[in-house]
């Protein structure tokens, strides 16, 4: 893998990791304020529970991207997992916008960041020649 590609992946992973960690902190520590900022006000008290669980996943995926930043070739599984979770996130977002449950302005960056992250990760995904791949 070329040095240029490694650096591109490192930059991509760091950017995605920071976004994930910020989202995780919002979901975990300020779910009501976080959602009120996009017009999803008056959430029931129980909504904090699944948001805290989502926050934990955001934080851990952010940590995974930091691992990729530190060792891109050794953490290819995190890249693949992030691609998968972003695809699921985007499909869910589009479904809920299309069915009118939420508006495009409410989902804010969730309408395009997953696609951006997927494209960035696929463009920089570490490729290993078959003779070096683990069996």
């Amino acid at each position: 893998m070329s040095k240029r590609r490694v650096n591109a992946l490192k930059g991509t992973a760091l950017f995605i990791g920071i976004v994930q960690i910020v989202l995780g902190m919002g979901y975990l520590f300020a779910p009501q304020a976080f959602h009120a900022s996009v017009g999803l006000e008056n959430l029931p008290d129980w909504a904090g529970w699944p948001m805290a669980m989502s926050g934990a996943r955001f934080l851990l995926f952010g940590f995974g991207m930091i691992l990729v930043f530190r060792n891109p070739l050794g953490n290819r599984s995190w890249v693949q997992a992030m691609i998968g979770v972003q695809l699921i996130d985007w499909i869910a977002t589009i479904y809920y916008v299309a069915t009118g449950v939420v508006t495009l302005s409410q989902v804010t960056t969730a309408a395009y960041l997953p696609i951006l992250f997927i494209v960035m990760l696929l463009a920089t995904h570490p490729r290993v020649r078959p003779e070096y791949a683990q069996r």
Side-chain angles (χ1 to χ4, degrees), residues 1-30:
M1 191 164 158
S2 74
K3 178 108 170 121
R4 185 178 201 181
R5 190 178 181 104
V6 168
N7 288 337
L9 176 57
K10 289 175 81 169
T12 296
L14 184 60
F15 171 65
I16 294 171
I18 290 168
V19 170
Q20 295 294 304
I21 290 168
V22 168
L23 287 171
M25 299 293 270
Y27 270 75
L28 191 57
F29 297 113

Side-chain angles (χ1 to χ4, degrees), residues 36-50:
S37 72
V38 295
L40 296 171
E41 299 176 28
N42 302 320
L43 294 176
D45 289 338
W46 62 261
W49 166 59

Side-chain angles (χ1 to χ4, degrees), residues 80-92:
Q80 295 161 349
M82 182 58 81
I83 290 168
V85 80
Q86 292 301 315
L87 182 59
I88 293 167
D89 284 353
W90 186 77
I91 291 168

Side-chain angles (χ1 to χ4, degrees), residues 104-128:
L104 198 54
S105 65
Q106 289 172 318
V107 299
T108 66
T109 60
Y112 66 87
L113 271 184
I115 295 300
L116 177 64
F117 290 170
I118 291 168
V119 168
M120 292 170 70
L121 289 169
L122 286 174
T124 60
H125 189 277
R127 287 161 178 77
V128 178

Side-chain angles (χ1 to χ4, degrees), residues 34-71:
F34 186 75
H35 280 83
S37 72
V38 295
L40 296 171
E41 299 176 28
N42 302 320
L43 294 176
D45 289 338
W46 62 261
W49 166 59
M51 287 183 202
M53 293 186 342
S54 294
R57 283 151 181 80
F58 279 122
L59 288 171
L60 268 289
F61 269 98
F63 174 74
M65 290 295 98
I66 300 304
L67 292 176
V68 172
F69 172 74
R70 293 179 65 205
N71 181 2

